[in-house]
Amino acid sequence: MRRNIIAGFMAVLLLASCHNNEKMLDILADYNNSKEAKGYHFGDKLELPKEVTENAESVTISFGDKETNSFVIDPRFFTLGDNAVTFTIKTKGGEVLNQDATINVFAKNPEKNMTYQIVAEYPHDPKNFVEGFLAEGNIIYESDGLDGASQLIKYTLGSATPGMVKQQPAGVFSEGCAVVGDKIYQLTYKNKIGFVYDKKTFEQLSEFPLPNVIGEGWGLTYDGKNLVATDGSKNLYFLGINNPSKIVKTVSVAGNTETFEQLNELEYHNGFIYSNVWHRPIILKINPTTGEVVGKFDFTKLTGENDRGESENVLNGIAFKGENMLVTGKNWAKIYEVAIK
């Protein structure tokens, strides 16, 4: 009889413990969800609910193979944008509880809404599915995508007829491109390789495998020291010129209230990186050291005038002509020169 009473008592304790653990995780989940949209900034501290801290012997936060028991938003562990983490709670009763969460880290300063004025319009071949776009004076280098139609072309601004064309094999989908001295570097979408060409002749000089962490090639630019690539995530990948298969550093991008995924076509100009966001009619001005978005251009009107109702005819071309920006998109019939105010 006594044995049955003890067993029953232990069962009650176990049920109570399980209930308390579930309640603790529910409270932590509600807390994390309430903070996700508002986000944090570097230096902020997570103030976990007392229902968690008072019943926990320890709480750690894991980031893949890294972990910390500090609740401070520390750049050694967190990046700008969304951070997938796991809370591990060791209760005072000896149980170990795990809960996944997303912690958003935003830039401290609001980005400036950049204004501009259209000062010129130029023809652009509407058959070109623009993936990479850059200018040297009045000379345009453009990488166009799609299987069976990918190409690298060169033409004079104001003429839609290319003066030089490098057709890609049918199985290659061309992406971003960048000029470095007398060479052109070009990414591919899903082929996991990049190409290097002679800028004057378009002769292919070599190819290189993309770093493993880059799942897809999207945008490419050159900052005077490194190639900078995107893969459709929130990250800017800085690649070595002599070894583009090596990532020198990774910088994550976010604004004051928003994480910017799907960074695409890139352009480096006067110390900043400019990037469009796939399927959004905006161009971001990014501090390449911190990843903070310091400015944002709204090209909704130009996109609406050029997409002809096709969802894939997106804004996707950024270059600079002096201090003016050149803007175009996939299958657009025009290139716009805009003066930044």
Side-chain angles (χ1 to χ4, degrees):
M1 180 71 173
R2 186 180 175 200
R3 185 177 298 172
N4 290 339
I5 292 173
I6 293 173
F9 180 68
M10 294 300 293
V12 170
L13 287 178
L14 182 61
L15 287 172
S17 176
C18 290
H19 175 73
N20 290 337
N21 291 344
E22 290 177 3
K23 183 179 179 181
M24 191 189 311
L25 290 176
D26 287 343
I27 290 172
L28 180 58
D30 290 342
Y31 169 80
N32 286 328
N33 290 337
S34 71
K35 294 290 186 178
E36 190 169 332
K38 183 179 179 181
Y40 297 89
H41 304 104
F42 288 127
D44 289 350
K45 186 175 182 179
L46 281 69
E47 301 290 347
L48 298 185
K50 65 179 182 178
E51 292 86 351
V52 176
T53 57
E54 290 180 355
N55 291 285
E57 182 179 307
S58 66
V59 180
T60 60
I61 306 174
S62 301
F63 313 75
D65 59 350
K66 299 183 296 183
E67 68 176 29
T68 180
N69 56 10
S70 170
F71 298 156
V72 176
I73 304 299
D74 188 328
R76 291 179 300 170
F77 299 99
F78 293 87
T79 67
L80 283 176
D82 56 322
N83 293 262
V85 305
T86 300
F87 286 89
T88 300
I89 303 168
K90 184 177 180 181
T91 71
K92 291 180 177 178
E95 297 95 338
V96 176
L97 312 176
N98 293 300
Q99 185 177 87
D100 295 332
T102 298
I103 294 178
N104 286 320
V105 182
F106 298 131
K108 282 192 175 182
N109 300 313
E111 54 267 27
K112 179 182 178 182
N113 289 319
M114 308 291 289
T115 58
Y116 59 89
Q117 178 182 358
I118 298 173
V119 295
E121 299 180 7
Y122 307 96
H124 180 259
D125 191 336
K127 297 191 297 295
N128 292 354
F129 198 74
V130 179
E131 297 290 1
F133 183 75
L134 59 95
E136 286 193 329
N138 283 324
I139 300 300
I140 303 295
Y141 295 91
E142 182 175 304
S143 177
D144 301 319
L146 296 178
D147 290 323
S150 288
Q151 60 183 356
L152 180 66
I153 60 175
K154 172 183 176 181
Y155 56 92
T156 301
L157 184 64
S159 171
T161 303
M164 193 178 302
V165 179
K166 175 71 174 183
Q167 296 286 349
Q168 301 289 13
V172 170
F173 192 123
S174 296
E175 283 283 346
C177 64
V179 167
V180 181
D182 58 359
K183 296 177 182 177
I184 299 175
Y185 291 74
Q186 182 188 45
L187 298 183
T188 58
Y189 180 29
K190 292 187 176 182
N191 302 87
K192 294 289 289 183
I193 57 173
F195 299 110
V196 183
Y197 304 97
D198 182 284
K199 187 175 75 171
K200 292 182 179 179
T201 66
F202 279 11
E203 175 190 358
Q204 183 178 323
L205 303 176
S206 61
E207 65 179 56
F208 57 91
L210 297 185
N212 289 333
V213 72
I214 299 180
E216 298 175 346
W218 284 42
L220 192 68
T221 191
Y222 177 57
D223 69 359
K225 182 178 180 181
N226 297 299
L227 293 166
V228 187
T230 56
D231 64 350
S233 68
K234 65 176 182 177
N235 294 326
L236 299 173
Y237 300 98
F238 291 73
L239 312 178
I241 289 295
N242 295 325
N243 182 8
S245 300
K246 178 183 178 181
I247 293 180
V248 176
K249 65 176 179 177
T250 301
V251 174
S252 298
V253 174
N256 181 244
T257 61
E258 184 178 359
T259 294
F260 291 100
E261 301 279 347
Q262 298 187 320
L263 301 176
N264 200 355
E265 216 270 318
L266 301 176
E267 183 70 17
Y268 178 84
H269 181 69
N270 284 353
F272 293 94
I273 288 179
Y274 294 78
S275 173
N276 76 292
V277 180
W278 189 46
H279 277 290
R280 293 183 63 180
I282 60 174
I283 289 176
L284 309 177
K285 182 180 181 181
I286 303 165
N287 181 329
T289 301
T290 64
E292 294 187 5
V293 176
V294 299
K296 183 167 64 173
F297 297 84
D298 186 344
F299 288 103
T300 300
K301 185 173 183 294
L302 293 187
T303 301
E305 292 174 355
N306 286 274
D307 64 12
R308 304 191 303 281
E310 295 291 335
S311 63
E312 295 305 314
N313 290 353
V314 295
L315 171 73
N316 206 53
I318 312 165
F320 275 86
K321 180 175 178 277
E323 293 305 308
N324 290 347
M325 183 187 290
L326 298 175
V327 178
T328 191
K330 298 179 180 181
N331 301 127
W332 286 22
K334 290 182 179 180
I335 298 169
Y336 298 88
E337 181 178 346
V338 302
I340 300 171
K341 295 183 177 180

